[in-house]
Structure formats: C-alpha cells, structure tokens
C-alpha cells in the first residue's frame, strides 16, 4: 500500500464517515470561534453573546436529534439489521445510539441552560462571552466523553470537560469563596487526572492497546490464560486508578470532597452545570468504559466467558462506590444550612443511585445481554429525568437568590404566603428528587432499582445486588427528611422581617421559565414511554 | 610504552561497559534526584530550577529509548516553554510569604506515609509484570518524526495494515481546547473593575470583607496585586482580582 492510497483512504474515511457523524461537536467548536470573532468585529459587537451561543446550541441539538432519529432501530425507524456502531476517526470515537442519546441530552441541556443564565443574570454583560466560551468548550469535551472509544480520547475528553469547569467555578471574581472553590477544584482535579493517567498507562502497558474493544479482547485472553506473574496485580491497580479519575468526575465518595465546597463557593448557575451536564457525561463515560471493557459489543461467548473476572471486579468496584456515595451523600445532607451545599450532597447521592444502575449493567453483561441493555436504558432514562429536576432546583435557588439576597435555607421561611407558586414548583422538584410517584424521579429510580432486582432474580452477583437494593431503598427513606425539611421551612416558618413582597411571581419571565422546567418533571412521571423508548434504544449499544 | 599498555588494557574495559545502561542510570538518577530536590527545597525559585533539571533528565531518558521526537518535545515544551514561564512568573510575583514554602511536620509525615505507600504498591505491581503487552506486529521500531507527523494527520504509515489509530482528531480538537482554556485563563487573570453590579454582589450572606491586604484597590484603577498576578495565571489571580 503506497502513501497515495493511504492518504486517499484516510481522507475519504474522515470526510465521508467521521465528519458527518461529528456535526454536533463541530457546531460547538464553530460557535466557540464565532463567539470570539464577534467580539472583535465592531459591526456585531452589540450582539448579545448568549444568542450566538444559543444559536450554536440549537444547531448542535438539531444535528444530534437528526443523528438519533436517523439511526436504524430508533423509535422512528424499523429495527436495525446490522449493528449500529460506527468507529469514527480511525477508532478514536464510536458513534452508536448511546452516543447519540447522550449528545442530544447535552445539547438539550444547553438549550435550557443558556436562557436560564440569561434570566438569572450571572454572566453579566461584560463577561458573558468568556462564560459561554468556557461553557461550550466544556460541553464539547463532555460529548467526547460520551463517545470515547480509545484511552487517549478518554483522558483528553475528561480534561477538556474539567479544565473549563475549574475556570467556571471561579467565575465570580473577587469573591473569596469562589476563588477558593476554583483552586480547590483545580488542585483536586489535577491530582485525580494524574492518578487516572497512571492507571491508564498500567492498563495499556499490560494489554498493549489503546483501543477499548481491542483492550477487552486482549483482557479476555490475558485473564483466560490464568495469573501469569503480577499481570493481575497491575490490571487490578490500573482499573482502580482509572476508577479514581472517574469517581472524581462523578463526585463519588470518597472522592467527593471538592463537591460541596465548589457548589457553595461557585454561583448556583455553575452548580447547575456541574451537577447536571458534568454528571451526565461522567456517568456516560463510566457506562462506556464499564460495558466495553467487560462485555464488548459483538463478543463471542468464549471471549465473554474470559471476561467474567473483569465483570466481577468492575461490578463490585462500581457497586461499592455507589453504596458509599448514596449513604454518605444523604447522611451529610442533613446538617446543611446552605441550600447549595445541600444540593451538592444530594448530587453526590444521586451519583450513587446512577452508579447502582451501572454496576447492574456491568454485572449482567455476561449472562443476559438484554437485561444489561435494560440497565443501561434505566441509567439513560435517569439522566434524562435528572436533567429537568436538578436544573429546576438550581434555577429556583438562583432566581430566589436574585430577590432574597440569600442562599440559606432559613431565608426561605414563609415563602408560601408571598409566592405560593414557587413553593409548589420547589415542592414538585424536591419530591421528584426523593423519588416519589407520580413524578419523573420516581420512574427513573424505579427503573434503576428494577434492573438491580433483575440481576438478583437472575442470580448475578447476588450478594452485591441485594446489598445495593437495600442501600438504595434505605437511602430513599433517609433522603425524605432533608428534602422535606426545605419544604417545611418554606411553608411553616415565619417569613424574615425584611422580606420583599413577592420574590418570584409565577407570572413573570423567571416564573414562566421555572414552570417550563418543572412541567417535564410532572409530565415525564406519567408519560414516560417516549423518553424510555429513546433510552432503551440508547441502551442497545452494548450488543 | 607504559601508556600504550595502559590504553591496551583500558580499551576492552571501555568496550565492556554497557553505555546504554550507564546513561540510563545517569539520567534516571538525575531525574529522581532533582525531583527529590524539588520536594525538599523550601525556596520557590530553587524548586523551579530543580524541576527544569529533572524534566531535562527525563528528556534524556526518552532519547535513550529511541523516542527522539518525544525527547525533543519534552525539552522544547517543558524545559523551554512552560518552565521558563513558571520561573518568570515565580520571580516576578514571589512575595514574602510565598518565597519560601515550609510544610508543617504533620503534613510532611502524612505526605511521606501516603507517598511511600503508593510507591510501594506501584513498584510491586510494576515489577511483578513479567511481560508487558506489545503491539501485535511484534517488535515495532520507535517511530521517528516523519511517521509521527503522518500519524498526527491521521495516516499511520508505520502500521499500514490497519488496526492502529491515527491521531487527527486529538491533534485538531486540542486546539479548540487550548483556545477555550486560554480564554478562561485570560478571564481569571484580567483585572477589570466591574461597571455594573452582579446579582450576587449584594448577597446578604456574601463573604465577610477580605482581610486587609497591602494591595488595596486604587480608586478607579487596578489593584496592585491583581496586575502582578496577571502573569502567573489563574490560581493566584483568582484570589487577587478586583
């Protein structure tokens, strides 16, 4: 094969296969450049950068939507005859239903988030270009996290998502808490990235490949050959260190220390970004790594059998992190007086619930591929519901801050008298976060617990799954108290003396926005079939 | 006569030396020694200098492993670029409390225990691997600059059979990332006074006023600390902003 034909094949692969399926990311990258160019041109300088960013997000979402719809086997098209799996850029990325779903979720998040920041007014007129550049840059990295198929992309995507987030955490310049949060986040993140990189180098060194499906194939032969020297030790250690990096992004216990401080120090808007988008991408990456390394798509039975130990290890590692995050997150949320800090611990607890689904998906990968797909679908659905609930919670906190001048729970006393609408909205969001019917949070949590129960019924890693189910159930009861306490303060406490008349009237732009965010929380609790069909389609990536 | 015989005796000895191992030991000990020096020095400027030397010795290790390209990059980027910037940043901004950094004894013990434990675990794991995985095609020549450049453009001339990834995507997407990060760093380092108040500026629960610092805002201008910290970048500047 001479150089000319190599170049031609590479060019045609890039232009005809990879780039068309990479359009949402290209839109985001182009918008970043456009934002900066528009600041330089006097003609368009008056243009609000939020609208440019929103325009880019609309294009990204439209392409992501078209990609999801256009895949054979999606809810709109007949079932696929072949596997929906395209490797892009010579194997660095993979495009499959899961990629398409998460990308649509992230683009949809941008569509809601940019108007939210516009309404709440945190990136002011002078700094909004910087804010939107950082935001879109981070989301670009998150899209890559969801579609990573190569260890190089995994690391690069995690960094691309993290580094702009550090700057966003310190966005409120001149506030000590904000700068402290940014520094803490950056130092912690750098440490976690270093550990993760070392873990990746151990895994890659032992397995001799960066490409995830190839790594899984080699892992299968290495494990099937039995323990030769310290190879198993290196693999276990590498997997553990890789998990440390992921756990940091997920803010899973015991790598959660940054989370409450960053959420408290940074603006509520940034907290919303970190707790929704960042978490969705981290969960997607955990699913991707967990499922591809322990039960790769198109694996033959012999290969699957060889990976049994890897599944055992992966399921137990993720399950342990899940149980710890859930319990500690919920218990620590009790004593909080600051609403952002409380929501940070709630985020940690929800990461735990999500990881239970991931653990079930990994464990089921070897015995029942269909059940494993259902577990991934449950996680994907949870992410969809979580987007609305948590964004709504942070939106209410940010909009109330603008009028109440406080983010303490105590300041919410007596809100029922002055603005009953916002109390109802907050009530719906909090009850959905607890996971009570008939709201979206219930359906999501039910699906995740159902996949764990499915694993118990099939006898896969039974002790672990029983523990997870028990921990999950107990934690739902724990969480009842602190979520309802906020509601209790809003209803039963007397209002503070300096209360303004109506902090957040529903008939206003902020009020309408909150209503628009809370409506899906209610609707998805009842009419969940559409989102679940998409989630199930996304879960089908595993085989 | 004597000199001739001495040379005759020395030549086989010189030939018997494994130069590769010798240089490996030399560069490895230099890298480790200067790394330890970074840890145990208290003066910031000296720390930066030791870091330069340690990273340069690492570049030597890369050259020994036939990875000239990475070695050259290590020298150019770390030794040449990043660290010179770091040294300048440190020298321009180092103020009294930051010139010498002392760690408390408790922290030193904790860090020592944690570091030693991690090192022990890693050494056991790494040394016990009998055979590291190699690319399937067996012994692969370390690629030199041309194949590397081609790989960065997405064409793997060294592994024409396929199955190896080209690096076009990372090469291109990292440029977007660097642009974004540069914007972030510029934002954090910029010391511009706000014209309009933010919603949080009037927060009742906002921070208590910062402790009095020598660098207080000059009315209508830029704080002294902030303009200095613009050189170092995000971390310090975030604290020193207007």
């Amino acid at each position: 094969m001479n150089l000319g034909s190599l170049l031609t094949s590479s060019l045609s692969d890039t232009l005809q296969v990879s780039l068309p399926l990479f359009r949402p990311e290209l839109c985001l990258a182009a918008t970043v450049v456009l934002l900066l160019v528009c600041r330089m041109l006097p003609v368009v300088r008056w243009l609000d950068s939020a609208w440019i960013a929103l325009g880019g997000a609309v294009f990204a979402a439209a392409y992501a939507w078209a990609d999801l719809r256009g895949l054979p086997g999606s809810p709109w098209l007949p079932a696929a005859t072949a596997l929906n799996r395209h490797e892009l850029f010579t194997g660095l990325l993979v495009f499959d239903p899961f990629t398409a779903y998460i990308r649509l979720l992230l683009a949809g998040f941008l569509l809601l988030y940019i108007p939210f920041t516009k309404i709440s007014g945190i990136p002011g007129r002078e700094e909004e270009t910087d804010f939107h550049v950082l935001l879109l840059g981070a989301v670009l990295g998150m899209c890559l996290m969801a579609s990573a198929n190569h260890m190089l992309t995994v690391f690069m995507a995690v960094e691309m998502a993290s580094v702009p987030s550090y700057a966003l955490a310190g966005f409120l310049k001149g506030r000590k808490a904000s700068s402290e949060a940014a520094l803490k986040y950056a130092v912690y993140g750098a440490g976690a990235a270093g550990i993760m990189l070392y873990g990746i180098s151990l895994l890659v060194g032992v397995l001799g490949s960066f490409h995830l499906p190839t790594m899984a194939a080699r892992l299968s032969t290495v494990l099937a050959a039995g323990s030769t020297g310290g190879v198993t030790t290196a693999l276990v250690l590498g997997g553990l260190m890789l998990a440390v990096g992921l756990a940091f992004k997920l803010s899973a216990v015991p790598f959660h220390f940054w989370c409450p401080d960053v959420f408290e120090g940074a603006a509520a808007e940034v907290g919303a970004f970190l707790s929704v988008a960042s978490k969705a991408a981290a969960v997607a990456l955990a699913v991707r790594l967990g499922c591809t390394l322990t039960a790769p798509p198109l694996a033959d039975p012999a290969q699957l059998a060889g990976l049994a130990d890897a599944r055992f290890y992966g399921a137990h590692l993720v399950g342990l992190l899940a149980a710890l995050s859930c319990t500690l997150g919920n218990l620590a949320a009790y004593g909080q007086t600051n609403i952002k800090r409380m929501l940070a611990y709630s985020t940690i607890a929800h990461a735990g619930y999500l990881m239970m689904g991931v653990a079930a998906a990994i464990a089921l990968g070897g015995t029942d591929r269909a059940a494993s797909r259902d577990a991934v679908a449950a996680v994907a659905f949870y992410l969809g519901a979580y987007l609305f609930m948590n964004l709504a919670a942070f939106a209410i906190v940010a909009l109330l801050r603008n009028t109440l001048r406080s983010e303490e729970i105590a300041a919410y006393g007596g809100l029922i008298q002055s603005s009953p609408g916002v109390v109802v909205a907050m009530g719906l969001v909090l009850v959905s976060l607890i996971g009570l019917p008939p709201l979206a949070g219930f359906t999501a949590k039910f699906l995740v617990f159902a996949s764990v129960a499915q694993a118990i019924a099939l006898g896969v890693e039974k002790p672990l799954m029983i523990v997870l189910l028990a921990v999950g159930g107990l934690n739902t009861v724990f969480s009842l108290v602190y979520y309802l306490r906020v509601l209790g303060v809003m209803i039963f406490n007397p209002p503070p003396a300096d209360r303004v008349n109506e902090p957040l009237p529903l008939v206003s732009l902020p009020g309408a926005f909150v209503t628009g965010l809370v409506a899906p929380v209610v609707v998805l609790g009842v009419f969940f079939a559409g989102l679940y069909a998409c989630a199930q389609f996304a879960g089908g990536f595993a085989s | 006569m004597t000199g001739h015989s001495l040379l005759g005796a020395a030549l086989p000895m010189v030939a018997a030396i494994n130069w590769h191992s010798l240089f490996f030991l030399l560069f490895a000990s230099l890298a480790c020694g200067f790394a330890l020096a970074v840890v145990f020095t208290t003066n910031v400027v000296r720390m930066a200098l030791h870091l330069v030397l340690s990273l340069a010795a690492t570049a030597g290790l890369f050259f020994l492993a036939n990875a000239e390209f990475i070695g050259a990059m290590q020298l150019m980027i770390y030794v040449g670029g990043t660290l010179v910037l770091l040294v300048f940043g440190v020298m321009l901004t180092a103020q009294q409390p930051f010139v010498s950094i002392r760690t408390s004894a408790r922290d030193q013990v904790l860090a020592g225990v944690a570091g030693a434990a991690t090192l022990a675990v890693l050494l056991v794991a790494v040394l016990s691997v009998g055979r590291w995985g190699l690319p399937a095609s067996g012994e692969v020549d370390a690629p030199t600059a041309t194949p590397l450049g081609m790989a960065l453009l997405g064409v793997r001339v060294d592994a024409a059979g396929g199955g190896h990834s080209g690096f076009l995507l990372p090469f291109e997407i990292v440029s977007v990332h660097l642009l974004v990060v540069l914007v972030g760093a510029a934002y954090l380092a910029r010391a511009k006074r706000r014209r309009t108040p933010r919603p949080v500026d009037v927060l009742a629960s906002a921070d208590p006023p910062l402790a009095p610092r020598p660098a207080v805002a000059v009315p209508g201008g830029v704080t002294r600390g902030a303009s200095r910290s613009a050189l170092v970048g995000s971390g310090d500047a975030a604290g020193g902003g207007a």
Side-chain angles (χ1 to χ4, degrees):
Chain A
M1 205 184 258
N2 61 357
L3 188 61
S5 65
L6 265 178
L7 276 174
T8 322
S9 71
S10 163
L11 192 68
S12 71
D13 176 67
T14 308
L15 288 184
Q16 282 154 26
V17 181
S18 304
L19 284 181
L21 291 173
F22 197 60
R23 285 174 305 187
E25 285 91 340
L26 288 180
C27 282
L28 294 178
T31 315
V32 165
V33 177
L34 194 67
L35 279 169
L36 294 172
V37 169
C38 281
R39 284 287 287 180
M40 290 193 305
L41 299 177
V43 189
V44 281
R45 191 177 286 166
W46 53 270
L47 199 61
D48 207 332
S49 81
W51 302 123
I52 304 173
L54 193 61
V58 167
F59 274 104
Y63 282 130
W65 173 244
D67 284 346
L68 182 69
R69 262 185 88 102
L71 273 175
S74 70
W76 301 272
L77 285 178
T81 47
L83 189 65
N84 274 324
R85 193 186 146 82
H86 306 275
E87 293 204 339
L88 309 184
F89 298 106
T90 58
L92 288 171
L93 296 181
V94 61
F95 179 80
D96 55 18
F98 191 67
T99 305
Y101 179 85
I102 298 291
R103 241 167 29 176
L104 181 62
L105 199 73
L106 290 169
F109 165 79
L110 280 180
L111 286 186
L112 295 171
Y113 185 73
I114 296 171
F116 158 48
T117 53
K118 189 78 199 138
I119 292 170
S120 78
I122 264 299
R125 194 81 173 83
E126 297 151 39
E127 61 222 358
E128 60 180 3
T129 309
D130 306 274
F131 186 87
H132 290 122
V133 165
L134 290 170
L135 176 71
L136 295 181
V139 172
L140 177 64
M142 289 168 190
C143 288
L144 292 183
M145 277 167 86
S147 52
N149 194 39
H150 194 271
M151 277 302 183
L152 183 64
T153 328
V154 169
F155 181 72
M156 205 180 63
V158 167
E159 284 304 289
M160 282 183 73
S162 301
V163 180
S165 307
Y166 306 151
L168 282 177
F171 204 76
L172 299 177
K173 277 200 307 186
R175 280 188 82 204
K176 196 163 160 250
S178 179
S179 309
E180 227 177 77
L183 192 62
K184 195 172 269 181
Y185 195 15
V187 169
Y188 217 101
I195 291 176
M196 182 165 142
L197 198 57
Y198 203 106
I200 290 176
S201 75
L202 276 179
L203 288 178
V204 168
V206 172
L207 299 175
S209 174
F210 276 98
H211 184 238
L212 293 184
T214 314
M215 285 177 80
R218 301 256 172 90
L219 185 62
S220 171
T221 43
V222 166
L223 291 179
S227 180
T228 46
V231 167
T232 323
T233 325
L235 283 174
V236 165
L237 202 64
L240 189 68
M241 292 171 105
L242 181 61
V244 169
L246 278 179
F248 164 76
K249 284 303 288 170
L250 277 167
S251 65
V253 175
F255 306 100
H256 67 288
F257 295 105
W258 60 274
C259 187
D261 293 342
V262 169
F263 276 46
E264 191 183 0
E269 286 81 354
V270 176
F273 173 69
L274 293 179
S275 90
V276 178
S278 196
K279 184 131 306 173
V283 170
L285 183 58
V287 168
R288 177 75 71 193
L289 282 174
C291 289
T292 313
L293 284 180
T294 62
L298 292 181
D300 51 62
Q303 198 184 338
L304 269 186
L307 287 168
D309 289 342
R311 278 191 299 276
F312 176 83
Y313 177 63
H316 278 79
L317 189 60
V318 177
L320 181 71
L321 288 173
L324 281 177
S325 312
C326 234
T327 315
L328 234 103
N330 276 323
L331 290 183
Y334 273 97
Q336 305 308 324
T337 54
N338 182 298
I339 182 88
K340 284 194 297 187
R341 235 182 139 76
M342 193 208 90
L343 284 175
Y345 282 110
S346 139
T347 298
I348 295 172
H350 280 275
Y353 296 126
L354 281 160
M355 278 192 291
M356 287 181 186
V358 180
I362 293 175
L364 285 164
T367 42
D368 190 339
R369 298 303 285 264
S372 172
R373 288 198 288 273
D374 280 347
V376 176
V379 171
F381 183 90
Y382 202 120
L383 288 176
Y386 186 71
L387 162 73
F388 292 108
M389 326 192 258
N390 236 27
L391 193 56
F394 276 99
I396 294 174
V397 169
L399 296 172
L400 280 178
R401 171 207 64 205
N402 285 355
T403 44
L404 294 183
R405 312 278 180 232
S406 171
E407 283 160 343
E408 299 298 312
I409 296 176
Y412 292 166
L415 267 183
I416 189 80
Q417 296 155 21
S418 45
S419 73
V422 78
V423 177
V424 172
M426 192 67 170
L428 285 172
V429 168
L430 291 177
V431 170
S432 177
L433 280 171
I434 298 169
L436 292 182
L439 300 171
F442 166 74
T443 321
K445 219 178 230 182
F446 178 80
L447 286 170
V448 166
F449 288 171
S451 54
V452 176
Q454 173 84 336
I456 298 174
L458 289 169
V460 183
E461 315 293 357
K462 217 168 174 179
L464 173 74
M465 291 299 155
I466 290 175
V467 169
L468 282 186
L469 197 60
V471 167
L474 272 178
N475 270 297
T476 305
V477 180
F478 290 160
S479 67
L480 212 69
V481 181
Y482 67 87
Y483 284 128
L484 290 185
R485 190 171 59 109
V486 177
L487 212 54
V489 168
M490 283 180 158
I491 296 174
F492 299 115
N493 282 22
D498 54 344
R499 165 63 47 77
V500 283
N501 274 342
E502 194 171 9
L504 188 56
L506 273 192
V507 192
S508 64
L509 187 60
F513 184 75
V514 168
T515 318
L517 275 180
V518 174
V521 175
V522 182
V523 172
L524 280 178
V526 186
F527 305 102
F528 50 81
L531 182 61
Y532 188 59
C534 287
Q536 244 183 339
F537 175 57
F541 87 94
S543 59
Chain B
M1 174 76 185
T2 33
H4 191 79
S5 69
L6 257 180
L7 196 66
L11 266 179
M13 272 169 68
V14 170
I17 296 175
N18 187 340
W19 290 103
H20 191 276
S21 299
L22 185 75
F23 275 106
F24 178 81
L25 286 177
L26 177 70
F27 284 130
S29 50
L30 279 177
C32 292
F34 282 118
L36 286 176
V38 172
V39 175
F40 290 111
T41 324
T42 50
N43 186 300
V44 170
V45 182
R46 277 167 204 261
M47 274 183 197
L49 180 70
H50 290 148
L51 195 58
V52 171
L53 295 174
S54 176
L55 289 175
T58 317
L61 289 178
F62 285 135
F63 282 118
L64 275 184
N66 270 344
E68 307 95 353
F69 184 75
I70 306 184
M73 285 302 117
Q74 171 88 5
L75 278 180
M76 276 166 64
I77 297 174
Y78 280 98
V79 183
T82 316
L83 269 165
V84 169
L85 207 66
L86 191 72
V87 171
F88 269 100
V90 165
M91 292 190 4
L92 284 177
T93 58
Q95 290 170 353
Q96 217 28 263
F98 300 113
V99 170
S100 76
I101 295 175
R102 288 185 199 284
T103 326
S104 70
R106 183 174 153 273
D107 285 352
Q108 271 179 356
V109 170
L110 269 180
V113 169
T118 316
L119 181 68
V121 171
L122 285 177
L123 276 182
V124 167
V126 169
L127 293 179
S128 62
V129 174
R131 196 186 128 74
W132 290 90
L134 286 174
S137 47
E139 197 69 31
V140 179
D141 284 333
T144 47
T146 314
L148 269 170
M150 296 301 285
L152 287 180
L153 294 176
V155 182
R156 291 290 294 260
V157 286
D158 54 324
H164 291 269
S165 310
F167 302 112
L168 178 64
L169 173 77
F171 185 59
E172 296 295 339
I173 208 88
V174 153
S175 56
V176 179
H177 175 56
L178 289 179
L179 175 68
V180 169
V181 169
L182 210 60
V183 170
Y187 171 75
L188 289 177
R190 197 164 59 210
K192 202 170 78 177
R193 293 208 137 268
R194 296 189 53 82
R195 286 191 297 268
T196 47
R198 291 177 299 217
V200 281
D201 283 342
V202 269
L203 251 176
S205 67
D207 319 309
L210 301 180
R213 284 180 303 180
V216 197
V218 182
V222 167
T223 58
R224 222 169 83 97
S227 67
R228 283 182 154 200
S229 59
L231 265 170
V232 230
S234 54
D236 184 22

